Amino acid sequence: MSEAQAGIIDGKVHAERLNVAVAAEVARLRAEYGLQPGLAVVLVGDDPASQVYVKSKGERSLAAGMHSVTHRLPADTEQGELIRLVADLNSDPLIHGILVQLPLPKHLDEKAVIAAISPDKDVDGLHVVNAGRLVAGLPALVSCTPVGCMVLLRETLGDLSGKRAVVVGRSLLVGKPIGQLLLAADCTVTMAHSRTADLPAVCREADILVAAVGRPRMIRGDWIKPGATVIDVGINRVPFDNPEQAALGKTKLVGDVHYKEALQVARWITPVPNGVGPMTVVCLLQNTVTAAKRLAGIAD
């Protein structure tokens, strides 16, 4: 399949469509119920990438008409202080979604912080209760990136029933939840990872290949079944191919899939950047709206 024939799944277009729907639902909730969904984001430390993400989340939630609060804490914040802030947000009736930006400074216990968040307000979908509800097929708040991937797949392919899906990666944030979501969509799912025996052959079985392993350009073009749909969740910063730019220390973002090779084989593929990434923030807003409705007893 030539490069001209490969379809590019533009995450920005899909994200904007969903963002319009989220803003309309926020406006309806405010008009009909006097309910303004509220999102609280907690940032500990001054990690540059995290600061960019947090700023984007705050701006997008405000633009959608939501109540938005950002708590910025110093890098030396103690565990007890962070847990107390989370407890305050759990009991705040104006806050329906809580997101503690990860990674946290190394002296803090991420698992304990996540466990302290009310499952009903856990819009990052990392609490063990939400993970368990997802596996059990019960209503749950699900991690934003997998939700975004499913939106892209459904809007591109329609019915996913019966398709063979291979997920490369087993993280709690992406790999495991998207495997469960694909199962719920009646796909036949294989969970693979970097230690899977003959991983290229396993990947070639996939009608839908989700790459979320965190290794730049690991999945090559000849690993992909002709006509498959490739969802590349990876975000890796690597030196430019141009030696002069690389010598200057310049870097670029690439995915877990070798994009140029995959273009020749896949029927559909998400680029990096501007593929899955734009969906993550808007799905966070969607999760917050869902949490607000459930806490208020409003049917979806």
Side-chain angles (χ1 to χ4, degrees):
M1 183 172 289
S2 69
E3 181 171 337
Q5 292 174 292
I8 308 302
I9 303 174
D10 189 337
K12 292 188 294 184
V13 171
H14 291 271
E16 184 52 38
R17 186 181 301 125
L18 181 56
N19 191 64
V20 169
V22 169
E25 181 65 356
V26 170
R28 184 185 76 86
L29 291 173
R30 295 180 69 176
E32 295 183 13
Y33 299 96
L35 174 64
Q36 183 180 27
L39 173 65
V41 178
V42 179
L43 174 63
V44 184
D46 53 5
D47 178 75
S50 292
Q51 289 192 51
V52 171
Y53 295 147
V54 167
K55 181 181 179 182
S56 174
K57 290 166 183 173
E59 291 175 346
R60 294 293 293 273
S61 56
L62 287 172
M66 298 168 60
H67 173 54
S68 178
V69 178
T70 300
H71 295 270
R72 300 177 185 273
L73 305 179
D76 60 355
T77 297
E78 295 182 357
Q79 181 86 8
E81 182 181 353
L82 180 54
I83 295 293
R84 284 191 293 274
L85 172 58
V86 169
D88 289 342
L89 295 172
N90 283 339
S91 60
D92 187 340
L94 298 180
I95 298 299
H96 307 97
I98 302 169
L99 184 145
V100 178
Q101 183 67 42
L102 303 179
L104 292 172
K106 292 183 178 180
H107 70 282
L108 296 172
D109 184 345
E110 288 187 356
K111 291 183 179 179
V113 173
I114 292 168
I117 299 172
S118 167
D120 294 333
K121 296 187 177 186
D122 167 41
V123 287
D124 222 9
L126 291 176
H127 196 285
V128 66
V129 169
N130 281 316
R133 291 179 69 85
L134 174 62
V135 172
L138 299 172
L141 292 170
V142 182
S143 183
C144 306
T145 298
V147 170
C149 291
M150 293 301 293
V151 172
L152 294 178
L153 284 169
R154 285 197 170 98
E155 292 189 353
T156 302
L157 301 178
D159 183 19
L160 305 181
S161 178
K163 296 189 181 298
R164 295 186 64 86
V166 173
V167 179
V168 186
R170 48 185 168 175
S171 70
L172 292 174
L173 190 63
V174 179
K176 290 180 180 178
I178 198 167
Q180 293 297 323
L181 291 172
L182 288 163
L183 274 174
D186 296 321
C187 293
T188 300
V189 181
T190 299
M191 295 297 299
H193 45 80
S194 60
R195 297 187 182 183
T196 296
D198 200 357
L199 182 58
V202 173
C203 290
R204 280 192 288 270
E205 297 175 357
D207 301 312
I208 297 170
L209 178 60
V210 180
V213 72
R215 296 190 180 185
R217 297 169 174 158
M218 174 181 170
I219 295 175
R220 308 302 297 256
D222 61 0
W223 295 25
I224 298 168
K225 177 182 178 180
T229 298
V230 178
I231 303 295
D232 191 350
V233 184
I235 300 178
N236 309 283
R237 193 166 288 280
V238 300
F240 268 91
D241 298 328
N242 184 308
E244 293 181 359
Q245 292 176 309
L248 294 173
K250 293 185 177 181
T251 60
K252 62 179 179 179
L253 292 177
V254 300
D256 291 348
V257 176
H258 196 297
Y259 185 68
K260 289 183 179 180
E261 293 181 2
L263 279 172
Q264 310 303 316
V265 186
R267 176 65 187 93
W268 295 100
I269 188 169
T270 58
V272 176
N274 298 324
V276 174
M279 296 297 298
T280 299
V281 173
V282 69
C283 287
L284 172 67
L285 305 187
Q286 184 182 51
N287 272 358
T288 304
V289 171
T290 297
K293 290 161 69 174
R294 290 176 181 171
L295 287 165
I298 300 171
D300 288 336

